[in-house]
Amino acid sequence: MSASPHAISWFEIPANDFARAKAFYEAVLGRPIETMTMGPSTMGFLSTSPEAIGGAIVHGDGTAPSKSGTLIYLNGGDDLAVMLARVEPAGGMVAVPKTDIGSGFGFFAHFIDTEGNRVGLHSMA
């Protein structure tokens, strides 16, 4: 088995209120999130495609949402403005609006989710 070319292999977004976090991410991403209990944790998978980098919303012992911890960027699709527009109606807050990175690297934005996590979006347009 060869090493993955991706810098990220898995990520977890902590949640204090799993149902609220799941509803928020379903609204922002515009798709349902599959839920599974794994030992003492509840996980909501943000992608189930074997080709995608995996990640989940996680509720359980040792999870603590944070605005100042590790920052992950979710794929914002063709234009992150579409997902970013869903953040506030879903109960989150836009922290950094859509911003041009420059030099052809696309655009980014940050939001605070319903659990208090700072999360990024990235798109090329």
Side-chain angles (χ1 to χ4, degrees), residues 14-24 57-59 63 65 114-115:
N16 288 324
D17 182 329
F18 184 81
R20 177 179 63 197
K22 181 177 183 276
F24 174 80
I57 304 160
V58 180
H59 173 75
T63 60
T114 55
E115 304 309 293

mmCIF file of all heavy atoms in Angstrom, residues 14-24 57-59 63 65 114-115:
data_model
loop_
_atom_site.group_PDB
_atom_site.id
_atom_site.type_symbol
_atom_site.label_atom_id
_atom_site.label_comp_id
_atom_site.label_asym_id
_atom_site.label_seq_id
_atom_site.Cartn_x
_atom_site.Cartn_y
_atom_site.Cartn_z
ATOM 1 N N PRO A 14 -15.314 18.419 17.058
ATOM 2 C CA PRO A 14 -15.986 18.111 18.322
ATOM 3 C C PRO A 14 -17.351 18.788 18.446
ATOM 4 O O PRO A 14 -17.547 19.898 17.961
ATOM 5 C CB PRO A 14 -15.034 18.642 19.392
ATOM 6 C CG PRO A 14 -13.847 19.174 18.711
ATOM 7 C CD PRO A 14 -14.097 19.195 17.251
ATOM 8 N N ALA A 15 -18.262 18.104 19.123
ATOM 9 C CA ALA A 15 -19.607 18.636 19.338
ATOM 10 C C ALA A 15 -20.052 18.355 20.766
ATOM 11 O O ALA A 15 -19.893 17.245 21.258
ATOM 12 C CB ALA A 15 -20.590 17.996 18.368
ATOM 13 N N ASN A 16 -20.610 19.369 21.417
ATOM 14 C CA ASN A 16 -21.236 19.167 22.729
ATOM 15 C C ASN A 16 -22.670 18.682 22.563
ATOM 16 O O ASN A 16 -23.141 17.852 23.322
ATOM 17 C CB ASN A 16 -21.228 20.463 23.542
ATOM 18 C CG ASN A 16 -19.841 20.818 24.018
ATOM 19 O OD1 ASN A 16 -19.050 19.947 24.355
ATOM 20 N ND2 ASN A 16 -19.528 22.096 24.035
ATOM 21 N N ASP A 17 -23.361 19.204 21.566
ATOM 22 C CA ASP A 17 -24.748 18.835 21.270
ATOM 23 C C ASP A 17 -24.748 18.208 19.881
ATOM 24 O O ASP A 17 -24.785 18.911 18.872
ATOM 25 C CB ASP A 17 -25.632 20.081 21.331
ATOM 26 C CG ASP A 17 -27.100 19.789 21.084
ATOM 27 O OD1 ASP A 17 -27.418 18.856 20.326
ATOM 28 O OD2 ASP A 17 -27.934 20.531 21.639
ATOM 29 N N PHE A 18 -24.679 16.881 19.818
ATOM 30 C CA PHE A 18 -24.520 16.191 18.544
ATOM 31 C C PHE A 18 -25.658 16.498 17.569
ATOM 32 O O PHE A 18 -25.415 16.766 16.396
ATOM 33 C CB PHE A 18 -24.384 14.681 18.737
ATOM 34 C CG PHE A 18 -24.132 13.965 17.443
ATOM 35 C CD1 PHE A 18 -22.858 13.919 16.913
ATOM 36 C CD2 PHE A 18 -25.168 13.373 16.741
ATOM 37 C CE1 PHE A 18 -22.613 13.295 15.698
ATOM 38 C CE2 PHE A 18 -24.942 12.747 15.528
ATOM 39 C CZ PHE A 18 -23.655 12.706 15.010
ATOM 40 N N ALA A 19 -26.893 16.458 18.022
ATOM 41 C CA ALA A 19 -28.038 16.694 17.134
ATOM 42 C C ALA A 19 -27.977 18.092 16.528
ATOM 43 O O ALA A 19 -28.238 18.278 15.335
ATOM 44 C CB ALA A 19 -29.347 16.490 17.888
ATOM 45 N N ARG A 20 -27.623 19.079 17.331
ATOM 46 C CA ARG A 20 -27.511 20.456 16.833
ATOM 47 C C ARG A 20 -26.388 20.558 15.806
ATOM 48 O O ARG A 20 -26.565 21.151 14.735
ATOM 49 C CB ARG A 20 -27.272 21.397 18.007
ATOM 50 C CG ARG A 20 -27.067 22.851 17.606
ATOM 51 C CD ARG A 20 -26.857 23.748 18.791
ATOM 52 N NE ARG A 20 -25.638 23.377 19.520
ATOM 53 C CZ ARG A 20 -25.375 23.763 20.757
ATOM 54 N NH1 ARG A 20 -26.241 24.512 21.427
ATOM 55 N NH2 ARG A 20 -24.264 23.399 21.349
ATOM 56 N N ALA A 21 -25.229 19.974 16.102
ATOM 57 C CA ALA A 21 -24.098 20.022 15.186
ATOM 58 C C ALA A 21 -24.423 19.305 13.874
ATOM 59 O O ALA A 21 -24.101 19.798 12.793
ATOM 60 C CB ALA A 21 -22.863 19.405 15.836
ATOM 61 N N LYS A 22 -25.076 18.153 13.967
ATOM 62 C CA LYS A 22 -25.451 17.396 12.773
ATOM 63 C C LYS A 22 -26.397 18.216 11.904
ATOM 64 O O LYS A 22 -26.203 18.322 10.683
ATOM 65 C CB LYS A 22 -26.091 16.069 13.170
ATOM 66 C CG LYS A 22 -26.504 15.194 11.993
ATOM 67 C CD LYS A 22 -27.070 13.856 12.492
ATOM 68 C CE LYS A 22 -27.415 12.932 11.369
ATOM 69 N NZ LYS A 22 -28.735 13.160 10.804
ATOM 70 N N ALA A 23 -27.400 18.831 12.501
ATOM 71 C CA ALA A 23 -28.349 19.661 11.749
ATOM 72 C C ALA A 23 -27.634 20.841 11.090
ATOM 73 O O ALA A 23 -27.911 21.192 9.938
ATOM 74 C CB ALA A 23 -29.463 20.156 12.666
ATOM 75 N N PHE A 24 -26.694 21.458 11.809
ATOM 76 C CA PHE A 24 -25.938 22.588 11.265
ATOM 77 C C PHE A 24 -25.148 22.162 10.032
ATOM 78 O O PHE A 24 -25.241 22.787 8.976
ATOM 79 C CB PHE A 24 -24.987 23.152 12.330
ATOM 80 C CG PHE A 24 -24.072 24.217 11.809
ATOM 81 C CD1 PHE A 24 -24.519 25.527 11.655
ATOM 82 C CD2 PHE A 24 -22.760 23.922 11.465
ATOM 83 C CE1 PHE A 24 -23.673 26.516 11.165
ATOM 84 C CE2 PHE A 24 -21.907 24.902 10.979
ATOM 85 C CZ PHE A 24 -22.373 26.199 10.828
ATOM 86 N N ILE A 57 -18.181 14.649 12.573
ATOM 87 C CA ILE A 57 -18.581 15.375 13.775
ATOM 88 C C ILE A 57 -18.542 14.324 14.879
ATOM 89 O O ILE A 57 -19.012 13.204 14.672
ATOM 90 C CB ILE A 57 -20.020 15.901 13.653
ATOM 91 C CG1 ILE A 57 -20.188 16.766 12.421
ATOM 92 C CG2 ILE A 57 -20.434 16.650 14.911
ATOM 93 C CD1 ILE A 57 -21.637 16.902 12.010
ATOM 94 N N VAL A 58 -17.978 14.644 16.041
ATOM 95 C CA VAL A 58 -17.823 13.647 17.097
ATOM 96 C C VAL A 58 -18.312 14.183 18.432
ATOM 97 O O VAL A 58 -17.976 15.308 18.821
ATOM 98 C CB VAL A 58 -16.350 13.217 17.245
ATOM 99 C CG1 VAL A 58 -16.196 12.191 18.346
ATOM 100 C CG2 VAL A 58 -15.821 12.674 15.942
ATOM 101 N N HIS A 59 -19.125 13.365 19.121
ATOM 102 C CA HIS A 59 -19.570 13.679 20.480
ATOM 103 C C HIS A 59 -19.182 12.515 21.381
ATOM 104 O O HIS A 59 -19.452 11.362 21.058
ATOM 105 C CB HIS A 59 -21.086 13.872 20.529
ATOM 106 C CG HIS A 59 -21.596 14.026 21.924
ATOM 107 N ND1 HIS A 59 -21.422 15.178 22.646
ATOM 108 C CD2 HIS A 59 -22.238 13.164 22.729
ATOM 109 C CE1 HIS A 59 -21.962 15.008 23.847
ATOM 110 N NE2 HIS A 59 -22.459 13.792 23.924
ATOM 111 N N THR A 63 -14.037 15.216 23.881
ATOM 112 C CA THR A 63 -14.250 16.173 22.791
ATOM 113 C C THR A 63 -14.538 17.545 23.391
ATOM 114 O O THR A 63 -15.307 17.665 24.336
ATOM 115 C CB THR A 63 -15.412 15.758 21.868
ATOM 116 O OG1 THR A 63 -16.610 15.687 22.622
ATOM 117 C CG2 THR A 63 -15.143 14.427 21.205
ATOM 118 N N PRO A 65 -15.083 21.500 21.782
ATOM 119 C CA PRO A 65 -15.044 22.483 20.709
ATOM 120 C C PRO A 65 -14.133 23.660 21.061
ATOM 121 O O PRO A 65 -13.961 24.004 22.221
ATOM 122 C CB PRO A 65 -16.503 22.943 20.598
ATOM 123 C CG PRO A 65 -17.290 21.795 21.143
ATOM 124 C CD PRO A 65 -16.438 21.229 22.243
ATOM 125 N N THR A 114 -22.149 25.843 15.341
ATOM 126 C CA THR A 114 -23.052 25.915 16.496
ATOM 127 C C THR A 114 -22.420 25.404 17.778
ATOM 128 O O THR A 114 -22.936 25.658 18.863
ATOM 129 C CB THR A 114 -24.336 25.094 16.225
ATOM 130 O OG1 THR A 114 -23.956 23.753 15.884
ATOM 131 C CG2 THR A 114 -25.154 25.711 15.112
ATOM 132 N N GLU A 115 -21.297 24.703 17.669
ATOM 133 C CA GLU A 115 -20.618 24.158 18.840
ATOM 134 C C GLU A 115 -19.482 25.048 19.329
ATOM 135 O O GLU A 115 -18.888 24.791 20.361
ATOM 136 C CB GLU A 115 -20.081 22.760 18.520
ATOM 137 C CG GLU A 115 -21.144 21.801 18.046
ATOM 138 C CD GLU A 115 -22.338 21.756 18.974
ATOM 139 O OE1 GLU A 115 -22.190 21.283 20.111
ATOM 140 O OE2 GLU A 115 -23.428 22.194 18.560
#
